[in-house]
Amino acid sequence: MFAGGIPRKPSLVPELDGVWSVHRTGGLLPPLVGIRKEIHGTRGATQLPKGLLGVPFDVVGLELHYRRPFSGFIDILTPRDDGFAGRATYRRHEFGRFELTPIAGGVMSTVNEQLIKHLDEAHTMEQSVLRMLDGMISTTDDPSIVQELEHHKIETEGHALRVRERLEAHGAAPSAVKQAAGILGALAKLPLDIVRGEKAGRNARDGYATEHMEIASYELLKRIAQRAGDEETVAACDEILAQERTMAETIASNWDTFAELSLRESGVVVP
């Protein structure tokens, strides 16, 4: 369970939950005026003033591990009075120090804040799916399957727009950092799509898995929206879920076709 005294898996640190003001105490950090960290469970984000940008991180014990494109940056915390002293590091090399103090009444426990977080994640997901669909369309030779993919791309563009509208209705905007990370992840996959064999079968497998990931995400988002009393988001989820399930069923109904195409692409002749 432990290696060198360090947990192998991220651990929940309840006392970190909340909204924290960040103050520079030394090193190469800027003044950090108006900067805050919002932490809930094993996830959080460093927010610029007025919530203009969120830099997401994972909570691992008393360490904040930033996600791509800021991988390698880790904040190491030490409890102090009613807050924390922090060391900002890159690849474990310290370059600055700061302290965290709790913001009164700022605990991230409202349903509305959780709704905004899940809407933001859904928007990021749709951006990544759009890039994945581009790769699938460009590597699929069967005209009927390409037609289905192009139709679902149009639907997915609508999903992204609908989710963005719901975010804006709550006075929020998509996180640029999360969106960039999702898009870069999808774009990094495209060269593999282009050169790999058995494109039809692998595309179908990836698409089927992605559809069910989207279904799970919107099922969760729908229920959080219900608890927040946001009926418009509930209705949007229902419409999106119906289209995602239809696409998943379309893929499932063509497994024989995908298998034949995969074998043909690999040069296998089946009597």
Side-chain angles (χ1 to χ4, degrees):
M1 181 176 178
F2 290 83
I6 299 176
R8 291 179 180 175
K9 295 183 178 180
S11 58
L12 181 65
V13 183
E15 64 268 26
L16 276 175
D17 280 13
V19 182
W20 302 86
S21 177
V22 186
H23 303 279
R24 174 185 176 276
T25 57
L28 299 179
L29 292 171
L32 303 179
V33 176
I35 301 296
R36 66 180 188 177
K37 293 185 186 293
E38 298 182 354
I39 301 174
H40 184 77
T42 58
R43 306 180 67 181
T46 297
Q47 300 284 355
L48 295 181
K50 299 181 181 180
L52 295 177
L53 183 68
V55 183
F57 54 74
D58 295 308
V59 179
V60 183
L62 288 176
E63 297 183 349
L64 311 180
H65 291 231
Y66 288 85
R67 302 178 194 165
R68 292 184 301 174
F70 300 103
S71 300
F73 286 94
I74 298 175
D75 291 340
I76 302 173
L77 306 179
T78 302
R80 176 179 295 177
D81 298 327
D82 63 342
F84 293 88
R87 295 189 294 121
T89 71
Y90 179 68
R91 295 184 178 177
R92 299 288 177 177
H93 295 289
E94 181 180 319
F95 62 88
R97 289 178 175 262
F98 61 91
E99 63 181 12
L100 300 181
T101 55
I103 297 177
V107 176
M108 291 180 64
S109 58
T110 70
V111 175
N112 192 61
E113 286 170 324
Q114 291 301 302
L115 175 60
I116 290 172
K117 182 189 75 171
H118 283 274
L119 282 167
D120 189 21
E121 290 176 352
H123 187 269
T124 300
M125 175 180 65
E126 295 294 4
Q127 297 300 316
S128 295
V129 171
L130 281 171
R131 272 63 189 180
M132 188 191 77
L133 286 169
D134 283 336
M136 294 172 69
I137 290 168
S138 68
T139 58
T140 300
D141 298 324
D142 186 278
S144 62
I145 296 174
V146 169
Q147 184 177 5
E148 292 289 350
L149 291 171
E150 290 177 339
H151 174 69
H152 192 55
K153 181 182 176 182
I154 294 173
E155 291 181 333
T156 302
E157 290 171 341
H159 300 168
L161 177 60
R162 193 80 181 272
V163 173
R164 184 185 186 97
E165 289 172 347
R166 297 312 306 148
L167 266 173
E168 292 173 348
H170 287 275
S175 166
V177 171
K178 286 184 181 179
Q179 186 180 88
I183 291 173
L184 288 173
L187 289 175
K189 179 177 175 291
L190 295 186
L192 296 177
D193 289 331
I194 293 171
V195 302
R196 70 186 183 183
E198 301 181 51
K199 298 182 181 67
R202 291 176 182 270
N203 281 345
R205 179 200 64 191
D206 293 351
Y208 191 73
T210 299
E211 291 305 318
H212 284 84
M213 176 64 74
E214 291 185 275
I215 289 169
S217 297
Y218 281 111
E219 287 285 9
L220 180 59
L221 173 58
K222 173 183 173 179
R223 283 156 179 79
I224 292 174
Q226 287 173 331
R227 286 157 176 77
D230 184 351
E231 294 303 321
E232 289 190 44
T233 295
V234 171
C237 287
D238 282 336
E239 294 174 14
I240 293 171
L241 280 165
Q243 293 178 344
E244 302 294 8
R245 289 195 178 99
T246 297
M247 186 60 188
E249 290 168 2
T250 298
I251 296 172
S253 66
N254 284 282
W255 283 122
D256 287 336
T257 299
F258 293 131
E260 290 180 15
L261 289 171
S262 292
L263 292 171
R264 191 184 309 162
E265 290 168 353
S266 299
V268 177
V269 178
V270 180

